[in-house]
Amino acid sequence: MLKPTGLSLLEILLLIFTATMVASGIVIANIDIQWFEEVYVVEDGFVENWTVVPLLIAAAYAIYVYRTKRKDAGWRFKLMVGMIALFSLFVAGEEISWGQRLLGHESSAFFREHNAQGETNLHNMVVGGKKINKIVFSQLLVGAVGCYLFVLPFFYRKHREVRQAVDAWGIPVPQFYQTVACCALFLSILLIPSGKNAEILEAGITSLFLLILLFPYNSQLYRATDVL
């Protein structure tokens, strides 16, 4: 552990990397918006590709925990860890359009017609004239993230019954500094005068998602492992 912060080296590096990526985006966007959009957050560029990296690491870690967790962990714990792995892989697949550009194959007629970018993925699908990811990010995700970052940690610390239920399900609870980092990220995006600021948000939030998964407040649940 590093003093006086009490954070591990990996935690500090992840925070510094994420902060640097976001701060660079803010500065670049306000100096040269064209360079920001056509180079910094360009399709298949560094920022977009980085979004996938924390998700793949998170999936690998969740699979590792699933495989090595002690046998008395219970089905609920393993179900949650399995869902985290599947969720991470699904979002990573969506981000790279399931390897469409990597493999060089064309989208089907259905996706060319109903996908805003003509890609083989679900988050850019258009429903009722609106992109699915806009609906999710503007409504569902904001409420869910708010509850996860603020409501869950509060009740976890205050109520034993909640703590027992959360631990039984293996839900990683955010630490206070992680909640602050997420809030800072969401506020920072407002400083980027570009419609592509969501690319920075996605890259930042996946990094912080990995940080919470690796170093949750209830980290003891993930550390006590025995090979099955």
Side-chain angles (χ1 to χ4, degrees):
M1 304 293 286
L2 297 182
K3 302 297 182 180
T5 64
L7 302 181
S8 68
L9 178 60
L10 181 55
E11 287 175 277
I12 292 175
L13 290 177
L14 272 173
L15 286 171
I16 292 176
F17 177 85
T18 304
T20 301
M21 179 174 57
V22 175
S24 298
I26 293 173
V27 173
I28 293 171
N30 282 276
I31 293 177
D32 189 339
I33 191 68
Q34 183 177 358
W35 199 90
F36 172 81
E37 295 181 346
E38 297 181 2
V39 179
Y40 195 66
V41 294
V42 68
E43 191 85 1
D44 293 329
F46 171 76
V47 171
E48 184 176 65
N49 287 331
W50 170 257
T51 301
V52 179
V53 175
L55 292 169
L56 294 179
I57 296 175
Y61 178 67
I63 293 172
Y64 167 78
V65 171
Y66 184 94
R67 292 289 300 164
T68 60
K69 186 62 184 174
R70 62 183 185 276
K71 294 182 179 180
D72 62 348
W75 66 269
R76 289 174 295 181
F77 182 94
K78 289 204 167 186
L79 176 62
M80 178 58 63
V81 173
M83 289 175 61
I84 291 174
L86 291 175
F87 170 79
S88 300
L89 290 173
F90 174 78
V91 177
E94 280 287 296
E95 280 298 315
I96 60 174
S97 297
W98 302 101
Q100 177 183 6
R101 292 186 296 276
L102 293 175
L103 300 175
H105 69 80
E106 295 185 0
S107 300
S108 65
F110 174 82
F111 283 103
R112 288 198 301 270
E113 180 180 355
H114 298 285
N115 189 285
Q117 297 182 1
E119 299 175 339
T120 306
N121 57 50
L122 298 179
H123 69 279
N124 283 322
M125 295 290 288
V126 177
V127 178
K130 294 184 178 181
K131 291 173 64 175
I132 288 180
N133 63 345
K134 293 292 184 181
I135 298 174
V136 171
F137 273 98
S138 63
Q139 300 174 22
L140 300 178
L141 188 62
V142 172
V145 170
C147 289
Y148 179 70
L149 293 176
F150 295 100
V151 179
L152 178 63
F154 174 80
F155 283 99
Y156 182 87
R157 290 172 172 82
K158 296 294 184 180
H159 299 280
R160 183 169 60 87
E161 295 80 4
V162 174
R163 184 162 56 251
Q164 291 175 339
V166 169
D167 288 348
W169 278 97
I171 301 173
V173 178
Q175 296 190 54
F176 177 72
Y177 84 87
Q178 295 165 345
T179 296
V180 172
C182 289
C183 291
L185 172 63
F186 280 101
L187 292 175
S188 297
I189 299 306
L190 300 177
L191 301 177
I192 299 178
S194 169
K196 289 191 173 183
N197 57 5
E199 299 295 337
I200 299 294
L201 176 61
E202 291 173 1
I205 205 64
T206 56
S207 299
L208 296 179
F209 167 71
L210 175 62
L211 186 66
I212 294 173
L213 180 63
L214 294 179
F215 304 99
Y217 180 77
N218 51 345
S219 61
Q220 75 283 352
L221 296 178
Y222 293 85
R223 298 293 181 262
T225 58
D226 297 313
V227 177
L228 292 175

